[in-house]
Amino acid sequence: MTFLALVRHGETDWNLHGRLQGSSDIPLNATGQAQAREAVYELEGRSWDLLASSPLSRAAETADIIGSHLGIARTATYPDLAERHFGEAEGFTDYDAYSRWPHGMYPGLETRRDLMIRGVRAVDEIASTHPDSSVIAVAHGGVIRAIFDAIRGVASPRILNCGVSTLTHDGTAWTVETINSVPARRTW
């Protein structure tokens, strides 16, 4: 069985100001760095075989902070764990994007379906290349939520900065165990 802890990166200044950052490479702020250190408390107590992240610096830095406290180095990057691309709306606040594109279809926006497909592809790759392993993968709220929605078949709650969510793969299928450290069987 593969045990996977999906961790959302820590806060960035764009998160703080409600900006759509998507695939823009925005670094962690001081709060995000502190959140990464706090996430360690959710992850300690288990032996980890792999620490991976999305290629974006906010996820990589979060993983490196977590790894330094757990004594494991980040040794893998999964491009499919990168955040959804918001096209021309990246850098806009939700309000500004809505006022410009009220239909929500920003030019260059990655479809939700495509996001779900690549997110599930990433976790499937982790399970197939690391069976019977415990893995931490640091990614982004949008892609984590898309993975959970695809696996569970229902809408999942918002993923918190440095929220730790867990899944297991039994060799056949994924089971979402927790979302933001809350049992997934809970009714949202």
Side-chain angles (χ1 to χ4, degrees):
M1 181 171 301
T2 301
F3 182 85
L4 175 60
L6 281 174
V7 181
R8 183 182 176 198
H9 64 81
E11 183 186 82
T12 69
D13 284 342
W14 280 22
N15 289 138
L16 180 64
H17 298 293
R19 298 195 176 281
L20 298 170
Q21 57 193 341
S23 61
S24 297
D25 202 7
I26 309 302
L28 295 180
N29 61 23
T31 298
Q33 293 167 345
Q35 289 169 332
R37 289 188 295 274
E38 288 293 317
V40 171
Y41 295 111
E42 292 288 324
L43 299 164
E44 63 188 3
R46 175 182 281 274
S47 176
W48 297 99
D49 302 303
L50 177 72
L51 175 60
S53 75
S54 131
L56 295 173
S57 65
R58 60 190 180 268
E61 184 180 359
T62 300
D64 291 344
I65 292 168
I66 289 169
S68 72
H69 288 276
L70 294 177
I72 183 171
R74 179 173 50 92
T75 58
T77 301
Y78 290 87
D80 281 340
L81 289 178
E83 184 58 288
R84 182 181 191 181
H85 185 64
F86 287 101
E88 291 182 27
E90 290 199 13
F92 283 67
T93 64
D94 283 332
Y95 176 80
D96 291 338
Y98 178 79
S99 67
R100 184 173 253 203
W101 301 286
H103 47 71
M105 298 305 297
Y106 320 134
L109 175 68
E110 179 180 14
T111 68
R112 179 100 170 118
R113 182 178 184 280
D114 287 348
L115 178 65
M116 292 170 96
I117 288 169
R118 75 172 166 82
V120 171
R121 182 173 59 220
V123 295
D124 284 349
E125 181 182 350
I126 290 169
S128 69
T129 56
H130 302 282
D132 301 317
S133 298
S134 293
V135 178
I136 300 169
V138 181
H140 308 269
V143 72
I144 294 171
R145 191 172 180 191
I147 291 165
F148 292 157
D149 291 356
I151 292 169
R152 297 171 70 227
V154 296
S156 299
R158 183 177 184 278
I159 306 302
L160 305 174
N161 284 110
C162 280
V164 177
S165 302
T166 59
L167 307 88
T168 55
H169 195 279
D170 63 6
T172 304
W174 286 103
T175 301
V176 177
E177 302 291 340
T178 65
I179 300 175
N180 295 320
S181 301
V182 176
R185 290 169 186 75
R186 176 179 167 193
T187 302
W188 303 100

